[in-house]
Amino acid sequence: MARRGRAPGRRRDLRRQPRGRGAGTVGPSARRRARRRRHRIVDLLVCATPPVAAGVPAHLSGYLASMGCALPYGVAAKLDAPQRPVVALVGDGAMQMSGLLELVTIADRWRSWQDPRFVVLVLHNADLTEVSWEQREMEGNPRFAPSQDVPRFPYAGYAELLGLRGIRVTSSQEADDAWATAFSADRPTVIEAVVDAATPLLPPLMPDSKADKVRAALEQEART
């Protein structure tokens, strides 16, 4: 159970490291690139995401460490309340694990729903990103491509093949229109958002020991 208070050990902001600390120092150019990547994904997922009213039920798998559950959860929610819209947020690894199969189920059943809106946002970065960053943070290991690469796949095109709506987003400027189109569509919609796997899934503050592991892992990747 989470407790309030300061985590053990001194914590620091990785974006405010002093210069000249040797090989582990994050340079200003690297910080600028990280900020740009972070802003791109924030623009796409936060600023452009439609507001959710208070009391709207939501489910996630974080505490269970489950992959591939967003579409099964979404289908179950839609079967329970076919008169309400559903939104599922899915990584490309999870989408290939179970989501593509569930799109077949959605394509088979959506015509019987009172409200046909079922929006699936697929974050397409060709990487098992959460595990990649977890390995860097927890073990100091560089990304291991043979286990982390996710094959490229045309998610929006596959949705169209099934008779659904497919939208491919490659820049933040396209995000608002994509969400508006998805929520005004007469059928389920897949938004395929091409995002950057190099965007850290990490908080800006962390214990020194973890920060050092992340830097060491990234340095190893830079040398390969």
Side-chain angles (χ1 to χ4, degrees), residues 75 78-79 103-113 188:
V75 170
K78 195 67 171 178
L79 294 177
L103 281 184
V104 177
T105 302
I106 293 170
D108 180 61
R109 291 178 175 262
W110 72 266
R111 291 176 180 81
S112 65
W113 297 335

Side-chain angles (χ1 to χ4, degrees), residues 11-190:
R11 300 168 72 89
R12 66 174 185 250
D13 190 335
L14 287 179
R15 295 172 298 178
R16 298 179 181 175
Q17 291 302 306
R19 298 182 184 182
R21 293 194 57 185
T25 302
V26 178
S29 61
R31 286 196 293 270
R32 285 194 296 270
R33 289 194 298 271
R35 282 197 296 270
R36 287 197 295 270
R37 289 192 291 264
R38 183 167 59 253
H39 290 165
R40 283 200 295 270
I41 196 166
V42 167
D43 287 346
L44 176 63
L45 300 182
V46 178
C47 300
T49 302
V52 177
V56 174
H59 299 275
L60 58 110
S61 67
Y63 292 109
L64 300 177
S66 301
M67 282 186 62
C69 63
L71 265 293
Y73 281 8
V75 170
K78 195 67 171 178
L79 294 177
D80 181 66
Q83 77 284 2
R84 302 181 67 174
V86 169
V87 178
L89 310 179
V90 195
D92 51 1
M95 194 66 182
Q96 292 191 23
M97 179 179 290
S98 63
L100 295 175
L101 299 176
E102 294 296 351
L103 281 184
V104 177
T105 302
I106 293 170
D108 180 61
R109 291 178 175 262
W110 72 266
R111 291 176 180 81
S112 65
W113 297 335
Q114 294 167 255
D115 187 330
R117 292 175 298 174
F118 191 126
V119 184
V120 181
L121 172 66
V122 182
L123 302 178
H124 186 174
N125 59 16
D127 181 53
L128 295 176
T129 311
E130 182 173 351
V131 177
S132 294
W133 283 100
E134 185 178 56
Q135 289 175 340
R136 294 170 177 132
E137 176 190 359
M138 298 183 67
E139 305 297 334
N141 291 333
R143 182 180 181 276
F144 185 59
S147 70
Q148 298 307 108
D149 285 347
V150 176
R152 296 284 183 182
F153 186 86
Y155 302 97
Y158 181 67
E160 294 279 350
L161 182 66
L162 293 174
L164 309 177
R165 183 70 186 268
I167 304 171
R168 195 168 191 267
V169 173
T170 58
S171 71
S172 297
Q173 289 71 30
E174 301 170 342
D176 285 338
D177 288 342
W179 283 109
T181 300
F183 277 103
S184 62
D186 62 352
R187 64 194 61 210
T189 301
V190 172

